[in-house]
């Protein structure tokens, strides 16, 4: 299990995201940049203990209406080969030293663990506590899988990021989050699986909604 250090980050995660988010096609805030508040999220553990994996939710008050963004991040002690375009920035960790922060949708370690979460083989962890499962995160999978572990093709849209496996299976990371209408996230029609979680809305209420969908290709004729 990853250890959560009570220490400093310079710059902070939100400072890194404030500079990075306006470059994303799914950013809908003010042109001059977002006004971010940390609103929730969860972690996944790297089995090798090398890579920090966090699914961070940040709310942005800069646009015409508040927005909640899902920003999966990985934290590494050295640059990830071939991932320069996915680098969010670097930060100085008070215990671990320099950390390279990446958009986790481009990090194979994070993607493999997300697929394992959808399949039910790993347990989501609390964002700010060591060795503590996050009971607000739920997942579902129609059938028994397996879910591919590699999703090398990554494409951003105005609302989500699609990760595509060689067999056509898609993990759709919902970048712009929406609370479930009745407070209980439900699988979307046609989805083979999903991950849902909770975050704090702009008015301070705790809401839940879908975060990731699994879409499988239609069977061959």
């Amino acid at each position: 299990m990853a250890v959560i250090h009570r220490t400093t980050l310079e710059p902070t995660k939100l400072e890194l995201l404030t500079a990075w988010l306006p470059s994303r096609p799914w950013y809908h805030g003010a042109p001059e940049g977002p006004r971010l508040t940390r609103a929730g999220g969860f972690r996944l553990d790297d089995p090798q203990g090398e890579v920090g994996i966090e699914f961070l939710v940040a709310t942005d008050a800069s646009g015409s209406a508040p927005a909640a963004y899902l920003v999966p991040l990985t934290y590494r002690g050295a640059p990830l080969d071939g991932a320069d375009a996915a680098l969010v920035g670097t930060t100085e960790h008070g215990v671990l030293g320099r950390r390279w922060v990446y958009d986790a949708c481009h990090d194979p370690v994070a993607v493999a663990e997300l697929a394992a979460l959808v399949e039910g083989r790993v347990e989501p962890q609390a964002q700010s506590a060591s060795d503590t499962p996050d009971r607000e995160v739920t997942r579902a999978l129609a059938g028994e899988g397996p879910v591919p572990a590699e999703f090398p093709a990554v494409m951003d849209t105005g609302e989500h990021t699609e990760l595509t496996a060689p067999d056509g299976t898609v993990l759709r990371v919902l970048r712009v989050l929406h609370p479930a209408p009745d407070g209980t996230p439900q699988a979307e029609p046609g989805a083979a699986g999903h991950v849902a979680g909770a975050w704090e809305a702009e008015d301070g209420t705790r809401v839940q909604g879908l975060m990731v969908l699994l879409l499988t290709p239609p069977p061959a004729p």
Side-chain angles (χ1 to χ4, degrees):
M1 296 290 181
V3 175
I4 303 301
H5 298 279
R6 305 298 179 183
T7 187
T8 58
L9 280 178
E10 296 183 6
T12 67
K13 297 172 188 179
L14 292 186
E15 287 170 341
L16 288 175
L17 292 179
T18 296
W20 180 76
L21 277 175
S23 69
R24 303 298 94 192
W26 37 267
Y27 171 70
H28 303 308
E32 61 269 21
R35 299 200 309 273
L36 298 177
T37 303
R38 185 165 168 166
F42 64 94
R43 294 182 299 107
L44 296 174
D45 281 330
D46 170 17
Q48 304 302 317
E50 297 291 334
V51 180
I53 306 171
E54 180 180 17
F55 284 70
L56 185 149
V57 180
T59 54
D60 175 23
S62 71
S64 57
Y69 295 115
L70 176 62
V71 190
L73 298 171
T74 54
Y75 309 98
R76 287 176 168 266
L80 175 61
D81 289 343
D84 290 353
L87 182 68
V88 176
T90 59
T91 186
E92 293 296 327
H93 189 282
V95 175
L96 302 175
R98 177 159 294 185
R99 308 296 285 172
W100 280 258
V101 183
Y102 289 95
D103 176 355
C105 290
H106 296 263
D107 193 315
V109 172
V111 172
E113 292 310 300
L114 176 59
L117 173 62
V118 175
E119 197 172 325
R121 293 186 288 107
V122 302
E123 192 169 36
Q125 299 295 306
Q127 191 174 31
S128 302
S130 301
D131 194 16
T132 304
D134 189 332
R135 303 302 184 192
E136 289 187 306
V137 178
T138 60
R139 42 75 53 189
L141 177 65
E144 298 180 358
V147 178
E150 296 183 0
F151 291 77
V154 183
M155 181 182 70
D156 283 318
T157 76
E159 294 288 328
H160 56 259
T161 300
E162 291 207 343
L163 316 178
T164 305
D167 70 352
T169 301
V170 171
L171 277 175
R172 178 176 291 170
V173 179
L174 306 181
R175 297 295 201 156
V176 183
L177 299 179
H178 301 284
D182 62 355
T184 303
Q186 300 291 334
E188 291 193 0
H194 70 267
V195 175
W199 66 94
E200 190 172 289
E202 189 73 12
D203 62 3
T205 59
R206 195 76 175 165
V207 297
Q208 293 184 315
L210 292 171
M211 293 183 169
V212 179
L213 298 176
L214 178 72
L215 308 173
T216 53

